Amino acid sequence: MGGIADVAGKIWALPYTVVGLGIGLASLPFGSTMKFDYNAIVFNNFPVGFGGAMTIGNVILNTESTLNEQIPTYASAAAGPPYLDWVNLGSHESAHTYQYQVLGPFFVPAYLLAGGAFTTRSPFETAADNYAKTGSGWWPW
Ligand SMILES: [Zn+2]
């Protein structure tokens, strides 16, 4: 996504980005660090433990020190160890930022209707894993 479409998408996703940024900024005194990466404002070392990364608009809250690590795909995690299929966490989360930029305010309702984070068949998560593996295909349908 480039140029005007990218800017328009970021404006469209802004309501979520503002919320994520507020949460991220509030976490800075508690040990998180901020940087621009993966098409987002990234807060690493996010101190509240949901264990992993969460994308809110163009903000990624990450409980680990870096997004540049390998995680099992949703399908592989569901199948259980040994995990055979791995993707880069930051690339996976960046796919969600692009999904936000297309869906804007409709992202969260659409994501929840598709099953949320706790189904292995969420088209949003499958698409994010595909994007992290191949560099394309972040759109869920
Ligand atoms: Zn995801």
Side-chain angles (χ1 to χ4, degrees):
M1 196 184 283
I4 291 170
D6 185 57
V7 173
K10 288 186 165 80
I11 293 169
W12 185 221
L14 199 58
Y16 289 118
T17 301
V18 167
V19 171
L21 186 59
I23 295 169
L25 290 175
S27 75
L28 284 175
F30 303 99
S32 71
T33 55
M34 186 173 79
K35 68 188 288 194
F36 291 93
D37 210 354
Y38 296 107
N39 194 43
I41 305 163
V42 178
F43 292 90
N44 288 319
N45 301 307
F46 187 73
V48 180
F50 44 82
M54 175 185 281
T55 301
I56 307 174
N58 283 100
V59 174
I60 301 171
L61 306 176
N62 178 30
T63 59
E64 306 296 321
S65 61
T66 177
L67 285 172
N68 190 19
E69 61 181 35
Q70 296 292 112
I71 57 164
T73 62
Y74 264 66
S76 184
Y83 304 122
L84 302 176
D85 205 15
W86 297 76
V87 292
N88 179 276
L89 175 58
S91 298
H92 175 102
E93 297 302 324
S94 71
H96 291 315
T97 69
Y98 294 122
Q99 293 165 353
Y100 271 102
Q101 286 179 222
V102 170
L103 290 167
F106 301 105
F107 176 89
V108 168
Y111 184 84
L112 293 176
L113 281 173
F118 301 106
T119 170
T120 58
R121 288 183 301 211
S122 167
F124 287 87
E125 297 302 344
T126 303
D129 282 338
N130 285 339
Y131 176 77
K133 271 195 275 193
T134 67
S136 63
W138 48 263
W139 182 243
W141 295 285

